[in-house]
């Protein structure tokens, strides 16, 4: 994905998870050095761990924040909650009111969270078809002045990488521009 974005001279926002692997640390550095935004998506992305208590979430969040800072010199103030801010999986672990309390706490700590208003549907199965991803994005971006598009970039998401250039070209033809997210950006909250 980084190579594709570089070829099109586009900057994106990557909400990353944690890894101590050297390859992962190099990706954090590359994201930042190439002008992309980096955000915190929790170290573990383990729903049971992060959504059991506010303190559990904060520990996991801070672990990734420290790692990103050590590798890039940046402490991201933008976050994306695993499953989105309206996920119901958290009910199993922290109760039905857990996400409301977590959102309030993270906002008090000065973080801006982002949900999305367009999904690429690349998380709907292990590897949905390229055409499924293209159709989902192009159909759902219609009539939106501002779109925050959700993509996933794990190694298994090969069709996402195949779809990305086609999506970029189609959106450019429709007059869309691309930018990174900051604390002051347009945001979507579920």
């Amino acid at each position: 994905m980084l190579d594709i974005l570089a070829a099109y001279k586009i900057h994106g926002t990557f909400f990353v998870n944690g890894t101590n692997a050297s390859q992962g640390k190099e990706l954090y550095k590359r994201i930042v050095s190439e002008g992309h935004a980096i955000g915190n998506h929790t170290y573990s992305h383990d729903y049971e761990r992060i959504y059991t208590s506010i303190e559990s979430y904060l520990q996991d969040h801070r672990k990734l924040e420290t790692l990103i800072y050590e590798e890039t010199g940046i402490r991201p103030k933008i976050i994306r909650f695993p499953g989105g801010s309206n996920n119901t999986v958290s009910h199993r672990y922290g109760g039905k009111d857990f996400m409301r309390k977590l959102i309030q706490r993270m906002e008090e700590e000065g973080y801006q969270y982002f949900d999305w208003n367009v999904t690429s549907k690349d998380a709907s199965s292990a590897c949905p078809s390229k055409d499924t991803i293209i159709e989902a994005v192009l159909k759902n971006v219609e009539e939106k002045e501002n779109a925050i598009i959700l993509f996933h970039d794990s190694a298994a998401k090969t069709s996402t990488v195949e779809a990305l250039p086609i999506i970029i070209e189609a959106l450019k033809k429709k007059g869309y521009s691309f930018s990174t997210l900051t604390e002051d950006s347009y945001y979507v909250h579920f």
Side-chain angles (χ1 to χ4, degrees):
M1 287 183 122
L2 289 170
D3 292 341
I4 293 166
L5 294 175
Y8 284 95
K9 296 179 174 60
I10 291 173
H11 295 109
T13 302
F14 290 82
F15 289 97
V16 299
N17 296 122
T19 180
N20 277 315
S22 60
Q23 181 183 16
K25 291 177 180 182
E26 288 303 315
L27 281 174
Y28 300 153
K29 290 175 189 171
R30 183 175 173 198
I31 288 167
V32 171
S33 72
E34 293 184 6
H36 304 287
I38 192 166
N40 191 322
H41 193 45
T42 72
Y43 188 92
S44 70
H45 202 282
D46 179 339
Y47 287 34
E48 185 174 2
R49 176 182 297 164
I50 63 174
Y51 292 144
T52 298
S53 69
I54 301 293
E55 191 52 42
S56 294
Y57 180 90
L58 288 171
Q59 285 176 346
D60 202 79
H61 170 90
R62 288 178 181 140
K63 182 176 180 179
L64 177 57
E65 184 176 89
T66 299
L67 177 60
I68 292 170
Y69 179 74
E70 288 171 353
E71 297 303 320
T72 68
I74 293 174
R75 290 190 187 276
K77 297 306 282 183
I78 60 173
I79 62 175
R80 186 166 78 77
F81 296 109
S85 68
N86 67 346
N87 78 77
T88 57
V89 177
S90 62
H91 298 180
R92 279 186 246 160
Y93 309 112
K96 290 191 179 208
D97 203 28
F98 181 78
M99 289 306 298
R100 185 191 63 75
K101 292 175 184 175
L102 179 59
I103 289 166
Q104 181 179 346
R105 177 65 181 272
M106 296 310 287
E107 288 178 332
E108 287 169 1
E109 299 228 356
Y111 295 95
Q112 174 62 273
Y113 73 94
F114 289 88
D115 290 307
W116 55 93
N117 58 2
V118 176
T119 178
S120 65
K121 295 191 177 182
D122 66 356
S124 62
S125 64
C127 191
S129 74
K130 172 180 77 172
D131 292 337
T132 296
I133 295 167
I134 294 165
E135 181 181 333
V137 171
L138 297 183
K139 178 182 176 192
N140 290 303
V141 81
E142 291 293 328
E143 300 175 20
K144 288 187 176 53
E145 186 175 329
N146 295 292
I148 297 178
I149 305 170
L150 177 66
F151 289 103
H152 294 82
D153 65 346
S154 66
K157 302 298 180 186
T158 57
S159 54
T160 301
V161 174
E162 294 169 3
L164 191 56
I166 298 163
I167 291 168
I168 290 169
E169 289 177 19
L171 292 177
K172 280 185 161 197
K173 283 180 186 170
K174 291 176 183 261
Y176 285 92
S177 61
F178 302 83
S179 63
T180 59
L181 299 174
T182 70
E183 302 101 290
D184 301 317
S185 294
Y186 165 83
Y187 59 84
V188 173
H189 288 171
F190 291 149

